[in-house]
């Protein structure tokens, strides 16, 4: 039986109304990228000439980042030291949209910090240096963590425990959290590190990787069936509803306490970096299950999210738009991939086209009801360049320009119709009355409008010509007008 198409847009809307309480070990992830130039004379080790560095919120903090980037709200509770790394993490969390952080400070320990040295050319990790104190929080800090966690549970739709064995998720903290969540009928997901799964008793779902599962169950766990066979006893021990075992390039196996096990193969992707992939899986499961989605839907979301994460460099977060592109069938995505949804996607695409030496053209309009006149302009515009970007007035912009009864179709519908045209390479929705800001950002080689405009009337002509581009006016096709079509459709005169 074929897998049904997931109604991703409806799920994404539901996710945007959910809150995930994420608790765990946060860390500062630093990536130093450079070229391996020689072997050190002091020791037979590669010398990396550093060229750039990046800082990411890592560990359980990366789970929180992924929850927010997938569209849900996240309340995060974690532990930091009284040091520079802790301050940097607090600042980074404060700047991260969609995350409300509650950080407990422990002056007796350093903030966990990991620095990875990576060969830029080969995308290979050469060395990792860690600063950490991987011991359980003291009784006093445990109490502070519990006091920080318990008031947040009622606000959340689901609770996620991300255990990196750095001291936050002690047996006492785990017990208080799960018991309180169960009293309020909140599902609990645990990404476990302890081999004693009895401490997670009462959780809804455990998400170990294959190595963790094999060690906890003392099994080989090398096939989906062996995972199923080994799951029965530990599910009773942990009193959980299901176990999801992640197996890297071998996919994922979900074993529910009631029902059939499901195995999904991994997406075929070029793996760039597996750092944080487990965080992405946990976040995707949490936001899906928070909406009341079934196991199959949550599993498909998590599997697709993992594929996006490992194709990125560094500790990566996955956006809802990226997940949508990965999870939906390719035939459905042909138009969707052309619509700019994610922040930064336009700049990234422009940079890639520039790298390829392609000429970028631009035209714009409301395109409320697409008619042959529009098609002629768009086809002629594409002929004047290698890649055509269409600026589309938002719904609010159309109302200001055309009146309160327009647009007839909302901006998403108009964008999808435009993106389905072969002549169109990218659709960008803009909120202003004119596309001048968008034109200034793109600086197209060709700015195209219908021949009912003069060159001087075309918005942005000065910007384009100053950058060495040209304005192209296309003869309009007589007899076609969106306003006239709307008037006729509403019963007006011909």
């Amino acid at each position: 039986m074929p897998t049904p198409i997931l109604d991703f847009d409806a799920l994404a809307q539901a996710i945007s109304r959910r809150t995930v309480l994420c608790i765990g070990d946060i860390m500062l992830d630093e990536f130093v990228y450079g070229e391996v130039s020689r072997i050190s004379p002091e020791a037979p080790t590669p010398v990396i000439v550093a060229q750039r560095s990046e800082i990411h919120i890592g560990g359980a903090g990366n789970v929180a980042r992924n929850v927010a980037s997938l569209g849900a709200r996240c309340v995060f509770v974690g532990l930091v030291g009284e040091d520079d790394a802790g301050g940097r993490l607090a600042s980074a969390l404060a700047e991260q949209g969609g995350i409300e952080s509650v950080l407990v400070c422990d002056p007796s320990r350093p903030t966990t910090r990991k620095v990875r040295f990576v060969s830029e050319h080969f995308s290979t990790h050469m060395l990792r240096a860690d600063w950490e104190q991987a011991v359980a929080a003291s009784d006093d800090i445990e109490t502070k963590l519990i006091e920080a966690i318990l008031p947040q549970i009622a606000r959340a739709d689901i609770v996620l425990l991300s255990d990196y064995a750095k001291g936050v998720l002690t047996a006492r903290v785990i017990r208080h959290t799960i018991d309180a969540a169960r009293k309020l009928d909140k599902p609990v997901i645990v990404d476990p590190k302890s081999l004693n799964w009895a401490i997670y008793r009462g959780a809804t779902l455990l998400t170990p990787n294959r190595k963790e599962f094999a060690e906890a169950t003392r099994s080989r766990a090398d096939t989906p069936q062996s995972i199923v066979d080994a799951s029965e006893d530990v599910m009773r021990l942990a009193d959980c509803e299901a176990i999801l075992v992640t197996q890297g390039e071998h996919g994922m196996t979900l074993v529910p306490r009631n029902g059939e096990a499901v195995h999904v193969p991994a997406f075929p992707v070029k793996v760039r970096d597996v750092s944080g992939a487990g965080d992405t899986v946990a976040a995707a499961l949490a936001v899906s299950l928070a909406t009341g989605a079934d196991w199959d839907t949550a599993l498909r979301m998590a599997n697709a999210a993992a594929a996006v994460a490992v194709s990125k460099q560094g500790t990566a977060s996955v956006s809802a738009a990226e997940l949508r592109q990965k999870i939906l069938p390719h035939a459905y995505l042909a138009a969707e991939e052309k619509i700019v949804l994610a922040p930064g996607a336009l700049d990234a695409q422009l940079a890639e086209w520039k790298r390829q030496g392609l000429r970028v053209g631009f035209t714009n309009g409301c395109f409320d009801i697409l008619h042959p006149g529009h098609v002629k302009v768009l086809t002629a515009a594409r002929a004047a360049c290698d890649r055509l970007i269409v600026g589309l007035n938002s719904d609010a912009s159309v109302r200001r320009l055309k009146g309160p009864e327009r647009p007839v179709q909302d901006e998403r519908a108009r964008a999808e119709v435009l993106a389905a045209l072969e002549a169109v390479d990218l659709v960008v929705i803009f909120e202003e009355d004119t596309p001048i800001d968008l034109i200034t950002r793109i600086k197209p080689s060709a700015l195209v409008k219908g021949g009912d405009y003069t060159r001087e009337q075309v918005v942005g002509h000065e910007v384009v010509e100053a950058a060495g581009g040209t304005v192209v006016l296309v003869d309009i096709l007589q007899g076609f007008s969106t306003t006239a079509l709307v008037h006729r459709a509403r019963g007006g005169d011909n």
Side-chain angles (χ1 to χ4, degrees):
M1 181 177 178
T3 302
I5 294 176
L6 187 152
D7 189 348
F8 185 89
D9 293 328
L11 184 59
Q13 281 293 319
I15 287 171
S16 70
R17 298 189 292 269
R18 300 297 187 270
T19 299
V20 176
L21 172 58
C22 179
I23 306 157
D25 302 291
I26 192 171
M27 56 193 70
L28 187 68
D29 276 347
E30 299 182 51
F31 292 82
V32 179
Y33 298 98
E35 294 300 333
V36 178
S37 61
R38 60 192 185 279
I39 300 297
S40 168
E42 290 87 3
T45 55
V47 173
I48 296 181
V49 179
Q51 295 175 336
R52 65 186 180 91
S53 63
E54 295 179 358
I55 294 175
H56 299 279
I57 304 168
N62 188 46
V63 179
R65 287 178 62 227
N66 274 275
V67 167
S69 66
L70 289 170
R73 295 180 294 276
C74 184
V75 177
F76 177 75
V77 180
L79 183 64
V80 295
E82 201 173 65
D83 51 20
D84 177 66
R88 290 158 77 188
L89 276 175
S91 297
L93 281 169
E95 294 171 2
Q96 188 80 39
I99 300 178
E100 176 187 335
S101 62
V102 182
L103 297 178
V104 174
C105 182
D106 183 355
S108 69
R109 69 168 64 215
T111 301
T112 301
R113 177 182 170 219
K114 299 179 183 293
V115 180
R116 296 172 175 88
F117 296 87
V118 184
S119 167
E120 184 86 86
H121 180 73
F122 296 103
S123 294
T124 302
H125 286 222
M126 308 300 297
L127 173 70
R128 193 180 87 185
D130 292 0
W131 287 261
E132 65 180 29
Q133 185 176 314
V135 297
S138 65
D139 292 347
D140 179 53
I141 296 298
E142 267 188 329
T143 300
K144 289 182 179 179
L145 284 166
I146 292 167
E147 290 173 347
I149 292 165
L150 295 185
Q152 309 300 332
I153 294 176
R155 302 173 54 197
D157 296 288
I158 196 166
V159 178
L160 173 54
L161 305 183
S162 178
D163 193 355
Y164 272 80
K166 306 302 179 190
V168 170
L169 291 173
T170 63
R172 183 177 162 218
V173 170
I174 292 168
R175 189 73 272 136
H176 275 78
T177 302
I178 293 178
D179 288 348
R182 290 192 71 165
K183 285 180 181 178
L184 294 174
D185 200 27
K186 309 285 185 177
V188 179
I189 298 176
V190 179
D191 189 0
K193 279 296 179 287
S194 172
L195 298 182
N196 176 19
W197 285 4
I199 68 172
Y200 305 121
R201 185 171 181 80
T204 308
L205 173 68
L206 302 183
T207 64
N209 60 35
R210 194 205 69 81
K211 180 176 180 294
E212 293 163 345
F213 180 83
E215 291 174 349
T217 60
R218 298 180 183 178
S219 66
R220 294 183 61 173
D222 53 357
T223 66
Q225 188 56 51
S226 65
I227 290 171
V228 173
D229 294 341
S231 294
E232 187 175 346
D233 289 341
V234 290
M235 278 198 286
R236 275 199 300 266
L237 174 68
D239 188 24
C240 62
E241 293 181 21
I243 293 176
L244 174 69
V245 182
T246 58
Q247 301 151 73
E249 69 273 17
H250 299 297
M252 302 179 185
T253 301
L254 176 75
V255 186
R257 200 166 181 179
N258 300 306
E260 295 295 319
V262 180
H263 178 79
V264 293
F267 281 80
V269 295
K270 180 179 179 181
V271 177
R272 298 191 67 191
D273 196 333
V274 298
S275 302
D279 302 333
T280 304
V281 168
L285 288 167
V287 299
S288 303
L289 294 173
T291 68
D294 57 22
W295 292 122
D296 182 69
T297 297
L299 180 60
R300 290 172 63 191
M301 291 278 284
N303 194 39
V308 176
V310 299
S311 66
K312 295 184 173 186
Q313 198 171 48
T315 308
S317 59
V318 175
S319 71
E322 290 170 327
L323 186 55
R324 189 179 198 274
Q325 290 186 3
K326 180 63 66 176
I327 206 167
L328 292 180
H330 290 295
Y332 188 74
L333 280 175
E336 290 300 321
E337 291 175 339
K338 298 180 182 180
I339 303 171
V340 173
L341 297 172
L346 174 60
D347 292 334
Q349 186 62 78
L350 287 171
E352 177 61 21
W353 286 342
K354 182 178 180 181
R355 187 187 66 79
Q356 297 174 22
L358 300 174
R359 294 171 303 150
V360 176
F362 179 85
T363 190
N364 67 280
C366 300
F367 299 101
D368 200 359
I369 296 178
L370 198 66
H371 56 66
H374 290 142
V375 174
K376 180 180 180 182
V377 172
L378 292 169
T379 304
R382 184 61 170 79
C385 59
D386 299 310
R387 297 290 184 268
L388 176 63
I389 298 176
V390 178
L392 180 66
N393 293 75
S394 69
D395 291 345
S397 176
V398 175
R399 279 192 291 272
R400 290 193 298 270
L401 295 172
K402 304 289 185 180
E405 295 186 350
R406 299 277 297 277
V408 175
Q409 303 182 91
D410 65 29
E411 61 194 42
R412 185 55 184 262
R414 291 182 285 125
E416 289 182 355
V417 171
L418 282 170
L421 298 177
E422 186 177 1
V424 176
D425 293 290
L426 212 61
V427 179
V428 184
I429 299 170
F430 62 93
E431 296 291 338
E432 301 79 15
D433 290 346
T434 76
I436 185 62
D437 291 344
L438 195 53
I439 293 169
T440 302
R441 185 174 168 192
I442 295 170
K443 292 186 174 63
S445 300
L447 177 59
V448 184
K449 289 293 287 184
D452 48 346
Y453 286 82
T454 65
R455 170 185 156 277
E456 291 76 16
Q457 291 174 325
V458 176
V459 172
H461 73 274
E462 308 99 322
V463 173
V464 171
E465 291 173 342
T470 59
V471 176
V472 179
L473 300 179
V474 179
D475 289 338
I476 64 170
L477 197 60
Q478 297 297 327
F480 291 96
S481 160
T482 301
T483 300
L485 287 171
V486 171
H487 187 59
R488 287 169 58 188
R490 289 174 173 165
D493 293 336
N494 197 353

